[in-house]
PDB file of all heavy atoms in Angstrom:
ATOM      1  N   ASN A1140     192.664-184.064 -92.373  1.00  0.00           N
ATOM      2  CA  ASN A1140     193.790-183.138 -92.215  1.00  0.00           C
ATOM      3  C   ASN A1140     195.143-183.799 -91.994  1.00  0.00           C
ATOM      4  O   ASN A1140     196.162-183.137 -92.083  1.00  0.00           O
ATOM      5  CB  ASN A1140     193.508-182.172 -91.053  1.00  0.00           C
ATOM      6  CG  ASN A1140     192.455-181.159 -91.441  1.00  0.00           C
ATOM      7  OD1 ASN A1140     192.669-180.351 -92.328  1.00  0.00           O
ATOM      8  ND2 ASN A1140     191.305-181.228 -90.792  1.00  0.00           N
ATOM      9  N   VAL A1141     195.159-185.091 -91.711  1.00  0.00           N
ATOM     10  CA  VAL A1141     196.420-185.763 -91.382  1.00  0.00           C
ATOM     11  C   VAL A1141     197.414-185.697 -92.537  1.00  0.00           C
ATOM     12  O   VAL A1141     198.589-185.413 -92.323  1.00  0.00           O
ATOM     13  CB  VAL A1141     196.186-187.225 -90.931  1.00  0.00           C
ATOM     14  CG1 VAL A1141     197.474-188.021 -90.943  1.00  0.00           C
ATOM     15  CG2 VAL A1141     195.577-187.246 -89.547  1.00  0.00           C
ATOM     16  N   GLN A1142     196.971-185.923 -93.755  1.00  0.00           N
ATOM     17  CA  GLN A1142     197.910-185.929 -94.876  1.00  0.00           C
ATOM     18  C   GLN A1142     198.568-184.565 -95.060  1.00  0.00           C
ATOM     19  O   GLN A1142     199.765-184.474 -95.334  1.00  0.00           O
ATOM     20  CB  GLN A1142     197.223-186.384 -96.162  1.00  0.00           C
ATOM     21  CG  GLN A1142     196.962-187.877 -96.208  1.00  0.00           C
ATOM     22  CD  GLN A1142     198.195-188.704 -95.853  1.00  0.00           C
ATOM     23  OE1 GLN A1142     199.290-188.503 -96.379  1.00  0.00           O
ATOM     24  NE2 GLN A1142     198.036-189.637 -94.923  1.00  0.00           N
ATOM     25  N   ARG A1143     197.807-183.500 -94.873  1.00  0.00           N
ATOM     26  CA  ARG A1143     198.389-182.155 -94.973  1.00  0.00           C
ATOM     27  C   ARG A1143     199.426-181.942 -93.881  1.00  0.00           C
ATOM     28  O   ARG A1143     200.508-181.420 -94.137  1.00  0.00           O
ATOM     29  CB  ARG A1143     197.294-181.092 -94.894  1.00  0.00           C
ATOM     30  CG  ARG A1143     197.867-179.688 -94.883  1.00  0.00           C
ATOM     31  CD  ARG A1143     196.817-178.621 -95.107  1.00  0.00           C
ATOM     32  NE  ARG A1143     197.349-177.292 -94.890  1.00  0.00           N
ATOM     33  CZ  ARG A1143     198.183-176.655 -95.690  1.00  0.00           C
ATOM     34  NH1 ARG A1143     198.613-177.236 -96.795  1.00  0.00           N
ATOM     35  NH2 ARG A1143     198.622-175.443 -95.404  1.00  0.00           N
ATOM     36  N   ILE A1144     199.112-182.361 -92.669  1.00  0.00           N
ATOM     37  CA  ILE A1144     200.046-182.201 -91.546  1.00  0.00           C
ATOM     38  C   ILE A1144     201.322-183.001 -91.799  1.00  0.00           C
ATOM     39  O   ILE A1144     202.428-182.501 -91.597  1.00  0.00           O
ATOM     40  CB  ILE A1144     199.370-182.594 -90.212  1.00  0.00           C
ATOM     41  CG1 ILE A1144     198.260-181.598 -89.894  1.00  0.00           C
ATOM     42  CG2 ILE A1144     200.394-182.666 -89.078  1.00  0.00           C
ATOM     43  CD1 ILE A1144     197.324-182.027 -88.800  1.00  0.00           C
ATOM     44  N   LEU A1145     201.188-184.231 -92.280  1.00  0.00           N
ATOM     45  CA  LEU A1145     202.363-185.048 -92.597  1.00  0.00           C
ATOM     46  C   LEU A1145     203.204-184.387 -93.689  1.00  0.00           C
ATOM     47  O   LEU A1145     204.431-184.371 -93.610  1.00  0.00           O
ATOM     48  CB  LEU A1145     201.941-186.458 -93.007  1.00  0.00           C
ATOM     49  CG  LEU A1145     201.349-187.336 -91.902  1.00  0.00           C
ATOM     50  CD1 LEU A1145     200.842-188.654 -92.482  1.00  0.00           C
ATOM     51  CD2 LEU A1145     202.366-187.589 -90.810  1.00  0.00           C
ATOM     52  N   SER A1146     202.536-183.839 -94.700  1.00  0.00           N
ATOM     53  CA  SER A1146     203.251-183.151 -95.788  1.00  0.00           C
ATOM     54  C   SER A1146     203.975-181.917 -95.261  1.00  0.00           C
ATOM     55  O   SER A1146     205.105-181.632 -95.678  1.00  0.00           O
ATOM     56  CB  SER A1146     202.283-182.763 -96.906  1.00  0.00           C
ATOM     57  OG  SER A1146     201.756-183.928 -97.506  1.00  0.00           O
ATOM     58  N   LEU A1147     203.360-181.178 -94.347  1.00  0.00           N
ATOM     59  CA  LEU A1147     204.013-180.015 -93.740  1.00  0.00           C
ATOM     60  C   LEU A1147     205.233-180.450 -92.938  1.00  0.00           C
ATOM     61  O   LEU A1147     206.302-179.829 -93.036  1.00  0.00           O
ATOM     62  CB  LEU A1147     203.029-179.262 -92.842  1.00  0.00           C
ATOM     63  CG  LEU A1147     201.944-178.460 -93.556  1.00  0.00           C
ATOM     64  CD1 LEU A1147     200.840-178.070 -92.583  1.00  0.00           C
ATOM     65  CD2 LEU A1147     202.544-177.225 -94.217  1.00  0.00           C
ATOM     66  N   LYS A1148     205.091-181.515 -92.148  1.00  0.00           N
ATOM     67  CA  LYS A1148     206.207-182.007 -91.337  1.00  0.00           C
ATOM     68  C   LYS A1148     207.377-182.459 -92.203  1.00  0.00           C
ATOM     69  O   LYS A1148     208.530-182.305 -91.828  1.00  0.00           O
ATOM     70  CB  LYS A1148     205.747-183.162 -90.432  1.00  0.00           C
ATOM     71  CG  LYS A1148     204.946-182.717 -89.241  1.00  0.00           C
ATOM     72  CD  LYS A1148     204.487-183.883 -88.408  1.00  0.00           C
ATOM     73  CE  LYS A1148     205.648-184.499 -87.670  1.00  0.00           C
ATOM     74  NZ  LYS A1148     205.246-185.538 -86.724  1.00  0.00           N
ATOM     75  N   GLN A1149     207.066-183.026 -93.378  1.00  0.00           N
ATOM     76  CA  GLN A1149     208.112-183.521 -94.276  1.00  0.00           C
ATOM     77  C   GLN A1149     208.680-182.422 -95.162  1.00  0.00           C
ATOM     78  O   GLN A1149     209.585-182.670 -95.956  1.00  0.00           O
ATOM     79  CB  GLN A1149     207.550-184.650 -95.149  1.00  0.00           C
ATOM     80  CG  GLN A1149     207.136-185.874 -94.355  1.00  0.00           C
ATOM     81  CD  GLN A1149     206.292-186.849 -95.165  1.00  0.00           C
ATOM     82  OE1 GLN A1149     205.932-186.591 -96.318  1.00  0.00           O
ATOM     83  NE2 GLN A1149     205.944-187.973 -94.556  1.00  0.00           N
ATOM     84  N   GLY A1150     208.146-181.202 -95.043  1.00  0.00           N
ATOM     85  CA  GLY A1150     208.633-180.084 -95.843  1.00  0.00           C
ATOM     86  C   GLY A1150     208.150-180.103 -97.279  1.00  0.00           C
ATOM     87  O   GLY A1150     208.688-179.391 -98.127  1.00  0.00           O
TER      88      GLY A1150
END
Side-chain angles (χ1 to χ4, degrees):
N1140 287 295
V1141 165
Q1142 285 311 310
R1143 175 168 171 73
I1144 293 167
L1145 291 174
S1146 295
L1147 287 165
K1148 284 178 72 173
Q1149 296 167 356

